Amino acid sequence: MKGLAPLWARFKQRPDWFKAVAAVVVASAAVFAGVGAANALAPKVEEPTPSAERSSAAAGSFEVDEAAGAEIAEDAEVAENPGAAQAADSGADAERPDPRVVADTALAALDAASFAEGVVLFDSVTGISRTLEPDEAPAVFQALEAYAAAGYDVGFVVYDLATQRGVSYNADQGFFSASTVKAPFAAYVVQSEVDGGGASLDDEMFEDLVMEGTGVMAFDDTSVYALRDVLSNAIVHSDNTGYALLRERFDDGGFEAWCASAGVDAGAWEGEWYPHYSALDLAKLWINVGFYLAEGQGLSSWYADLLSQTDSSFLRAALGDRGAVLSKPGFEIDSYWGDIGALNDAGVILSDGGVYVAAIMSDADYDSDYLTEDGYLIADLASALGGVHDDLLSPDVREEGEGA
């Protein structure tokens, strides 16, 4: 990945409201500036469907209340995260709105947006939404045609946190989550349990169950792990055993409340560790993850580092040359359990053109041992969505005064 200095040089030329959203994320991203953003895509076999034994709205104005913004001293941020020094020295002294206000604004925008049939462009500031024509986003339409030609359904949501503009397709269609659910659950554990004082990264966890498939823990000779290693394995290596141990220990209803704060009804999943949900739900969950990272408190920078190092990321492979990508993919092949084919990815992208959330979900079959040829589908769509973000959603577009 290119260094954060060129990105920050461009951010300084942006208006204050853009820098307000981007500054904290840049500071967190500085921690992993040395990590290669274009990590080689190394897909692994995703999780099997959980066995029966273990599977048992945000509302408000679209306008950010600038009075609610908090002026946060850059010196304090640098003390918490030394990697932010470069950003602080570059004059990032603009008043920042409260990250929770930004997150609530985004959630309210997604709740109120019209997700009509077709590719929809929506603008939360103007309240205007409309269906895009193929000549306005040809690469996106070509990618969607490829899914249809292969016999698959797909849905996506892309939303720029600064301009409050988004684009969507089949946003509310349900798909199998696969391993995408691991990122929000781990964020809940780090934010609510560890930062909240109910657990420590040094806590020991006994491997009392083993889940094969993705990961490393099922095949090593270790039986006791520190919580930090379980969290790291669950995110970086998409470890099924690690995720199962986290669910065993922390599945006490707190995660449902964490999801509810994002406007997602996790109670409807009926205890499933790998539920079905929509691209809209996944985008909302990632807005909650992004809110935690943007706060810059507790272990948020440590968790951001994990999300930057996932063994595979379709979003990073497609968009990593444009900036930092924090993401967690999930994929699976259909089986006799039925309805679990999945080729998904979601995350926060910090690019030259802005900070945005992207969620892509489909029922395409994919895994590294059996069906890998479908990988081009999500790669092409992710690349096309990065382009449509820069062309239609970015701060540059807002500065030019374009409406939806």
Side-chain angles (χ1 to χ4, degrees), residues 350-378:
L350 175 67
S351 75
D352 303 49
V355 181
Y356 59 102
V357 170
I360 302 172
M361 302 194 74
S362 77
D363 58 3
D365 284 325
Y366 185 94
D367 82 22
S368 59
D369 288 342
Y370 300 101
L371 295 171
T372 58
E373 65 270 20
D374 288 336
Y376 77 95
L377 294 170
I378 191 169

PDB file of all heavy atoms in Angstrom, residues 350-378:
ATOM      1  N   LEU A 350     -10.420   3.453   2.969  1.00  0.00           N
ATOM      2  CA  LEU A 350      -9.874   4.802   3.084  1.00  0.00           C
ATOM      3  C   LEU A 350      -9.049   5.059   1.836  1.00  0.00           C
ATOM      4  O   LEU A 350      -7.901   4.640   1.738  1.00  0.00           O
ATOM      5  CB  LEU A 350      -9.004   4.908   4.329  1.00  0.00           C
ATOM      6  CG  LEU A 350      -8.254   6.219   4.531  1.00  0.00           C
ATOM      7  CD1 LEU A 350      -9.236   7.341   4.803  1.00  0.00           C
ATOM      8  CD2 LEU A 350      -7.247   6.111   5.652  1.00  0.00           C
ATOM      9  N   SER A 351      -9.646   5.715   0.860  1.00  0.00           N
ATOM     10  CA  SER A 351      -9.002   5.896  -0.439  1.00  0.00           C
ATOM     11  C   SER A 351      -8.699   7.359  -0.690  1.00  0.00           C
ATOM     12  O   SER A 351      -9.089   8.239   0.079  1.00  0.00           O
ATOM     13  CB  SER A 351      -9.921   5.368  -1.549  1.00  0.00           C
ATOM     14  OG  SER A 351     -10.983   6.277  -1.779  1.00  0.00           O
ATOM     15  N   ASP A 352      -7.992   7.617  -1.804  1.00  0.00           N
ATOM     16  CA  ASP A 352      -7.743   8.990  -2.214  1.00  0.00           C
ATOM     17  C   ASP A 352      -9.054   9.758  -2.357  1.00  0.00           C
ATOM     18  O   ASP A 352      -9.105  10.960  -2.122  1.00  0.00           O
ATOM     19  CB  ASP A 352      -7.026   9.013  -3.580  1.00  0.00           C
ATOM     20  CG  ASP A 352      -5.723   8.241  -3.579  1.00  0.00           C
ATOM     21  OD1 ASP A 352      -5.724   7.090  -3.104  1.00  0.00           O
ATOM     22  OD2 ASP A 352      -4.720   8.769  -4.073  1.00  0.00           O
ATOM     23  N   GLY A 353     -10.112   9.048  -2.771  1.00  0.00           N
ATOM     24  CA  GLY A 353     -11.381   9.698  -3.063  1.00  0.00           C
ATOM     25  C   GLY A 353     -12.329   9.811  -1.894  1.00  0.00           C
ATOM     26  O   GLY A 353     -13.407  10.384  -2.034  1.00  0.00           O
ATOM     27  N   GLY A 354     -11.991   9.265  -0.710  1.00  0.00           N
ATOM     28  CA  GLY A 354     -12.872   9.389   0.433  1.00  0.00           C
ATOM     29  C   GLY A 354     -12.882   8.155   1.312  1.00  0.00           C
ATOM     30  O   GLY A 354     -12.217   7.161   1.029  1.00  0.00           O
ATOM     31  N   VAL A 355     -13.636   8.244   2.395  1.00  0.00           N
ATOM     32  CA  VAL A 355     -13.796   7.137   3.334  1.00  0.00           C
ATOM     33  C   VAL A 355     -15.194   6.570   3.151  1.00  0.00           C
ATOM     34  O   VAL A 355     -16.184   7.296   3.275  1.00  0.00           O
ATOM     35  CB  VAL A 355     -13.607   7.621   4.784  1.00  0.00           C
ATOM     36  CG1 VAL A 355     -13.761   6.456   5.759  1.00  0.00           C
ATOM     37  CG2 VAL A 355     -12.243   8.275   4.955  1.00  0.00           C
ATOM     38  N   TYR A 356     -15.277   5.271   2.847  1.00  0.00           N
ATOM     39  CA  TYR A 356     -16.591   4.704   2.595  1.00  0.00           C
ATOM     40  C   TYR A 356     -16.685   3.263   3.070  1.00  0.00           C
ATOM     41  O   TYR A 356     -15.682   2.580   3.256  1.00  0.00           O
ATOM     42  CB  TYR A 356     -16.981   4.821   1.123  1.00  0.00           C
ATOM     43  CG  TYR A 356     -16.057   4.166   0.116  1.00  0.00           C
ATOM     44  CD1 TYR A 356     -16.389   2.939  -0.466  1.00  0.00           C
ATOM     45  CD2 TYR A 356     -14.885   4.786  -0.304  1.00  0.00           C
ATOM     46  CE1 TYR A 356     -15.571   2.352  -1.434  1.00  0.00           C
ATOM     47  CE2 TYR A 356     -14.066   4.206  -1.266  1.00  0.00           C
ATOM     48  CZ  TYR A 356     -14.413   2.994  -1.829  1.00  0.00           C
ATOM     49  OH  TYR A 356     -13.599   2.416  -2.775  1.00  0.00           O
ATOM     50  N   VAL A 357     -17.930   2.841   3.274  1.00  0.00           N
ATOM     51  CA  VAL A 357     -18.241   1.467   3.652  1.00  0.00           C
ATOM     52  C   VAL A 357     -18.753   0.741   2.417  1.00  0.00           C
ATOM     53  O   VAL A 357     -19.531   1.308   1.635  1.00  0.00           O
ATOM     54  CB  VAL A 357     -19.302   1.435   4.768  1.00  0.00           C
ATOM     55  CG1 VAL A 357     -19.812   0.018   5.004  1.00  0.00           C
ATOM     56  CG2 VAL A 357     -18.730   2.005   6.065  1.00  0.00           C
ATOM     57  N   ALA A 358     -18.310  -0.495   2.236  1.00  0.00           N
ATOM     58  CA  ALA A 358     -18.792  -1.311   1.120  1.00  0.00           C
ATOM     59  C   ALA A 358     -19.139  -2.701   1.632  1.00  0.00           C
ATOM     60  O   ALA A 358     -18.410  -3.268   2.454  1.00  0.00           O
ATOM     61  CB  ALA A 358     -17.744  -1.407   0.025  1.00  0.00           C
ATOM     62  N   ALA A 359     -20.260  -3.227   1.168  1.00  0.00           N
ATOM     63  CA  ALA A 359     -20.679  -4.588   1.508  1.00  0.00           C
ATOM     64  C   ALA A 359     -21.195  -5.260   0.248  1.00  0.00           C
ATOM     65  O   ALA A 359     -22.085  -4.729  -0.419  1.00  0.00           O
ATOM     66  CB  ALA A 359     -21.763  -4.569   2.582  1.00  0.00           C
ATOM     67  N   ILE A 360     -20.615  -6.412  -0.087  1.00  0.00           N
ATOM     68  CA  ILE A 360     -21.025  -7.199  -1.252  1.00  0.00           C
ATOM     69  C   ILE A 360     -21.371  -8.598  -0.775  1.00  0.00           C
ATOM     70  O   ILE A 360     -20.579  -9.237  -0.077  1.00  0.00           O
ATOM     71  CB  ILE A 360     -19.905  -7.301  -2.303  1.00  0.00           C
ATOM     72  CG1 ILE A 360     -19.461  -5.915  -2.772  1.00  0.00           C
ATOM     73  CG2 ILE A 360     -20.351  -8.154  -3.488  1.00  0.00           C
ATOM     74  CD1 ILE A 360     -18.227  -5.945  -3.672  1.00  0.00           C
ATOM     75  N   MET A 361     -22.558  -9.081  -1.144  1.00  0.00           N
ATOM     76  CA  MET A 361     -22.982 -10.429  -0.772  1.00  0.00           C
ATOM     77  C   MET A 361     -23.607 -11.111  -1.982  1.00  0.00           C
ATOM     78  O   MET A 361     -24.297 -10.474  -2.781  1.00  0.00           O
ATOM     79  CB  MET A 361     -23.983 -10.394   0.382  1.00  0.00           C
ATOM     80  CG  MET A 361     -23.477  -9.712   1.635  1.00  0.00           C
ATOM     81  SD  MET A 361     -24.531 -10.052   3.067  1.00  0.00           S
ATOM     82  CE  MET A 361     -24.079 -11.753   3.435  1.00  0.00           C
ATOM     83  N   SER A 362     -23.369 -12.421  -2.098  1.00  0.00           N
ATOM     84  CA  SER A 362     -23.979 -13.178  -3.197  1.00  0.00           C
ATOM     85  C   SER A 362     -24.107 -14.637  -2.794  1.00  0.00           C
ATOM     86  O   SER A 362     -23.584 -15.065  -1.758  1.00  0.00           O
ATOM     87  CB  SER A 362     -23.132 -13.059  -4.468  1.00  0.00           C
ATOM     88  OG  SER A 362     -21.986 -13.894  -4.398  1.00  0.00           O
ATOM     89  N   ASP A 363     -24.805 -15.408  -3.636  1.00  0.00           N
ATOM     90  CA  ASP A 363     -24.942 -16.843  -3.391  1.00  0.00           C
ATOM     91  C   ASP A 363     -24.029 -17.645  -4.320  1.00  0.00           C
ATOM     92  O   ASP A 363     -24.241 -18.832  -4.554  1.00  0.00           O
ATOM     93  CB  ASP A 363     -26.395 -17.286  -3.547  1.00  0.00           C
ATOM     94  CG  ASP A 363     -26.981 -16.974  -4.920  1.00  0.00           C
ATOM     95  OD1 ASP A 363     -26.242 -16.447  -5.794  1.00  0.00           O
ATOM     96  OD2 ASP A 363     -28.176 -17.262  -5.127  1.00  0.00           O
ATOM     97  N   ALA A 364     -22.987 -16.994  -4.847  1.00  0.00           N
ATOM     98  CA  ALA A 364     -22.037 -17.690  -5.712  1.00  0.00           C
ATOM     99  C   ALA A 364     -21.228 -18.702  -4.910  1.00  0.00           C
ATOM    100  O   ALA A 364     -20.893 -18.468  -3.749  1.00  0.00           O
ATOM    101  CB  ALA A 364     -21.097 -16.681  -6.373  1.00  0.00           C
ATOM    102  N   ASP A 365     -20.911 -19.823  -5.522  1.00  0.00           N
ATOM    103  CA  ASP A 365     -20.076 -20.844  -4.879  1.00  0.00           C
ATOM    104  C   ASP A 365     -18.604 -20.454  -4.990  1.00  0.00           C
ATOM    105  O   ASP A 365     -18.138 -20.042  -6.059  1.00  0.00           O
ATOM    106  CB  ASP A 365     -20.266 -22.199  -5.561  1.00  0.00           C
ATOM    107  CG  ASP A 365     -21.573 -22.862  -5.170  1.00  0.00           C
ATOM    108  OD1 ASP A 365     -21.973 -22.699  -4.010  1.00  0.00           O
ATOM    109  OD2 ASP A 365     -22.172 -23.538  -6.023  1.00  0.00           O
ATOM    110  N   TYR A 366     -17.885 -20.605  -3.875  1.00  0.00           N
ATOM    111  CA  TYR A 366     -16.456 -20.314  -3.917  1.00  0.00           C
ATOM    112  C   TYR A 366     -15.762 -21.005  -2.756  1.00  0.00           C
ATOM    113  O   TYR A 366     -16.199 -20.906  -1.613  1.00  0.00           O
ATOM    114  CB  TYR A 366     -16.202 -18.808  -3.817  1.00  0.00           C
ATOM    115  CG  TYR A 366     -14.750 -18.432  -3.977  1.00  0.00           C
ATOM    116  CD1 TYR A 366     -14.245 -18.074  -5.218  1.00  0.00           C
ATOM    117  CD2 TYR A 366     -13.887 -18.441  -2.893  1.00  0.00           C
ATOM    118  CE1 TYR A 366     -12.906 -17.732  -5.380  1.00  0.00           C
ATOM    119  CE2 TYR A 366     -12.552 -18.115  -3.038  1.00  0.00           C
ATOM    120  CZ  TYR A 366     -12.062 -17.756  -4.280  1.00  0.00           C
ATOM    121  OH  TYR A 366     -10.738 -17.435  -4.431  1.00  0.00           O
ATOM    122  N   ASP A 367     -14.714 -21.735  -3.039  1.00  0.00           N
ATOM    123  CA  ASP A 367     -13.723 -22.095  -2.034  1.00  0.00           C
ATOM    124  C   ASP A 367     -12.451 -22.529  -2.733  1.00  0.00           C
ATOM    125  O   ASP A 367     -12.430 -22.754  -3.942  1.00  0.00           O
ATOM    126  CB  ASP A 367     -14.242 -23.115  -1.006  1.00  0.00           C
ATOM    127  CG  ASP A 367     -14.201 -24.557  -1.430  1.00  0.00           C
ATOM    128  OD1 ASP A 367     -13.421 -24.904  -2.323  1.00  0.00           O
ATOM    129  OD2 ASP A 367     -14.957 -25.348  -0.839  1.00  0.00           O
ATOM    130  N   SER A 368     -11.369 -22.585  -1.984  1.00  0.00           N
ATOM    131  CA  SER A 368     -10.061 -22.730  -2.608  1.00  0.00           C
ATOM    132  C   SER A 368      -9.797 -24.125  -3.146  1.00  0.00           C
ATOM    133  O   SER A 368      -8.910 -24.303  -3.985  1.00  0.00           O
ATOM    134  CB  SER A 368      -8.966 -22.357  -1.609  1.00  0.00           C
ATOM    135  OG  SER A 368      -9.046 -23.190  -0.459  1.00  0.00           O
ATOM    136  N   ASP A 369     -10.533 -25.137  -2.679  1.00  0.00           N
ATOM    137  CA  ASP A 369     -10.268 -26.504  -3.114  1.00  0.00           C
ATOM    138  C   ASP A 369     -11.162 -26.966  -4.257  1.00  0.00           C
ATOM    139  O   ASP A 369     -10.774 -27.837  -5.027  1.00  0.00           O
ATOM    140  CB  ASP A 369     -10.449 -27.480  -1.940  1.00  0.00           C
ATOM    141  CG  ASP A 369      -9.323 -27.364  -0.933  1.00  0.00           C
ATOM    142  OD1 ASP A 369      -8.267 -26.815  -1.294  1.00  0.00           O
ATOM    143  OD2 ASP A 369      -9.506 -27.806   0.215  1.00  0.00           O
ATOM    144  N   TYR A 370     -12.385 -26.399  -4.339  1.00  0.00           N
ATOM    145  CA  TYR A 370     -13.346 -26.925  -5.295  1.00  0.00           C
ATOM    146  C   TYR A 370     -13.726 -25.926  -6.382  1.00  0.00           C
ATOM    147  O   TYR A 370     -13.645 -26.219  -7.565  1.00  0.00           O
ATOM    148  CB  TYR A 370     -14.611 -27.386  -4.567  1.00  0.00           C
ATOM    149  CG  TYR A 370     -14.346 -28.466  -3.553  1.00  0.00           C
ATOM    150  CD1 TYR A 370     -14.264 -28.155  -2.202  1.00  0.00           C
ATOM    151  CD2 TYR A 370     -14.150 -29.787  -3.944  1.00  0.00           C
ATOM    152  CE1 TYR A 370     -14.008 -29.139  -1.265  1.00  0.00           C
ATOM    153  CE2 TYR A 370     -13.888 -30.782  -3.011  1.00  0.00           C
ATOM    154  CZ  TYR A 370     -13.820 -30.454  -1.665  1.00  0.00           C
ATOM    155  OH  TYR A 370     -13.560 -31.425  -0.733  1.00  0.00           O
ATOM    156  N   LEU A 371     -14.184 -24.774  -5.982  1.00  0.00           N
ATOM    157  CA  LEU A 371     -14.723 -23.815  -6.945  1.00  0.00           C
ATOM    158  C   LEU A 371     -14.056 -22.458  -6.741  1.00  0.00           C
ATOM    159  O   LEU A 371     -14.451 -21.689  -5.886  1.00  0.00           O
ATOM    160  CB  LEU A 371     -16.242 -23.684  -6.776  1.00  0.00           C
ATOM    161  CG  LEU A 371     -17.048 -24.948  -7.087  1.00  0.00           C
ATOM    162  CD1 LEU A 371     -18.492 -24.768  -6.667  1.00  0.00           C
ATOM    163  CD2 LEU A 371     -16.985 -25.272  -8.573  1.00  0.00           C
ATOM    164  N   THR A 372     -13.039 -22.193  -7.513  1.00  0.00           N
ATOM    165  CA  THR A 372     -12.345 -20.913  -7.403  1.00  0.00           C
ATOM    166  C   THR A 372     -12.597 -20.005  -8.601  1.00  0.00           C
ATOM    167  O   THR A 372     -12.265 -18.828  -8.551  1.00  0.00           O
ATOM    168  CB  THR A 372     -10.828 -21.140  -7.279  1.00  0.00           C
ATOM    169  OG1 THR A 372     -10.378 -21.866  -8.431  1.00  0.00           O
ATOM    170  CG2 THR A 372     -10.496 -21.935  -6.031  1.00  0.00           C
ATOM    171  N   GLU A 373     -13.157 -20.563  -9.656  1.00  0.00           N
ATOM    172  CA  GLU A 373     -13.294 -19.757 -10.873  1.00  0.00           C
ATOM    173  C   GLU A 373     -14.270 -18.608 -10.718  1.00  0.00           C
ATOM    174  O   GLU A 373     -14.262 -17.669 -11.513  1.00  0.00           O
ATOM    175  CB  GLU A 373     -13.719 -20.632 -12.062  1.00  0.00           C
ATOM    176  CG  GLU A 373     -15.101 -21.259 -11.932  1.00  0.00           C
ATOM    177  CD  GLU A 373     -15.067 -22.630 -11.264  1.00  0.00           C
ATOM    178  OE1 GLU A 373     -14.078 -22.929 -10.584  1.00  0.00           O
ATOM    179  OE2 GLU A 373     -16.035 -23.378 -11.434  1.00  0.00           O
ATOM    180  N   ASP A 374     -15.137 -18.648  -9.699  1.00  0.00           N
ATOM    181  CA  ASP A 374     -16.089 -17.558  -9.512  1.00  0.00           C
ATOM    182  C   ASP A 374     -15.466 -16.317  -8.884  1.00  0.00           C
ATOM    183  O   ASP A 374     -16.135 -15.294  -8.745  1.00  0.00           O
ATOM    184  CB  ASP A 374     -17.256 -18.030  -8.625  1.00  0.00           C
ATOM    185  CG  ASP A 374     -18.182 -18.994  -9.347  1.00  0.00           C
ATOM    186  OD1 ASP A 374     -18.218 -18.950 -10.594  1.00  0.00           O
ATOM    187  OD2 ASP A 374     -18.851 -19.792  -8.673  1.00  0.00           O
ATOM    188  N   GLY A 375     -14.205 -16.387  -8.498  1.00  0.00           N
ATOM    189  CA  GLY A 375     -13.575 -15.251  -7.826  1.00  0.00           C
ATOM    190  C   GLY A 375     -13.580 -13.974  -8.636  1.00  0.00           C
ATOM    191  O   GLY A 375     -13.636 -12.876  -8.084  1.00  0.00           O
ATOM    192  N   TYR A 376     -13.542 -14.109  -9.971  1.00  0.00           N
ATOM    193  CA  TYR A 376     -13.530 -12.907 -10.811  1.00  0.00           C
ATOM    194  C   TYR A 376     -14.806 -12.090 -10.635  1.00  0.00           C
ATOM    195  O   TYR A 376     -14.806 -10.864 -10.857  1.00  0.00           O
ATOM    196  CB  TYR A 376     -13.355 -13.285 -12.285  1.00  0.00           C
ATOM    197  CG  TYR A 376     -14.611 -13.814 -12.940  1.00  0.00           C
ATOM    198  CD1 TYR A 376     -15.447 -12.974 -13.661  1.00  0.00           C
ATOM    199  CD2 TYR A 376     -14.988 -15.150 -12.803  1.00  0.00           C
ATOM    200  CE1 TYR A 376     -16.614 -13.445 -14.252  1.00  0.00           C
ATOM    201  CE2 TYR A 376     -16.146 -15.625 -13.387  1.00  0.00           C
ATOM    202  CZ  TYR A 376     -16.950 -14.782 -14.113  1.00  0.00           C
ATOM    203  OH  TYR A 376     -18.107 -15.253 -14.675  1.00  0.00           O
ATOM    204  N   LEU A 377     -15.906 -12.762 -10.254  1.00  0.00           N
ATOM    205  CA  LEU A 377     -17.182 -12.058 -10.125  1.00  0.00           C
ATOM    206  C   LEU A 377     -17.102 -10.943  -9.088  1.00  0.00           C
ATOM    207  O   LEU A 377     -17.432  -9.787  -9.364  1.00  0.00           O
ATOM    208  CB  LEU A 377     -18.296 -13.043  -9.751  1.00  0.00           C
ATOM    209  CG  LEU A 377     -18.661 -14.091 -10.801  1.00  0.00           C
ATOM    210  CD1 LEU A 377     -19.598 -15.133 -10.201  1.00  0.00           C
ATOM    211  CD2 LEU A 377     -19.304 -13.428 -12.020  1.00  0.00           C
ATOM    212  N   ILE A 378     -16.645 -11.287  -7.890  1.00  0.00           N
ATOM    213  CA  ILE A 378     -16.586 -10.277  -6.826  1.00  0.00           C
ATOM    214  C   ILE A 378     -15.422  -9.325  -7.048  1.00  0.00           C
ATOM    215  O   ILE A 378     -15.510  -8.144  -6.709  1.00  0.00           O
ATOM    216  CB  ILE A 378     -16.528 -10.950  -5.430  1.00  0.00           C
ATOM    217  CG1 ILE A 378     -16.751  -9.896  -4.329  1.00  0.00           C
ATOM    218  CG2 ILE A 378     -15.255 -11.734  -5.230  1.00  0.00           C
ATOM    219  CD1 ILE A 378     -16.965 -10.507  -2.956  1.00  0.00           C
TER     220      ILE A 378
END
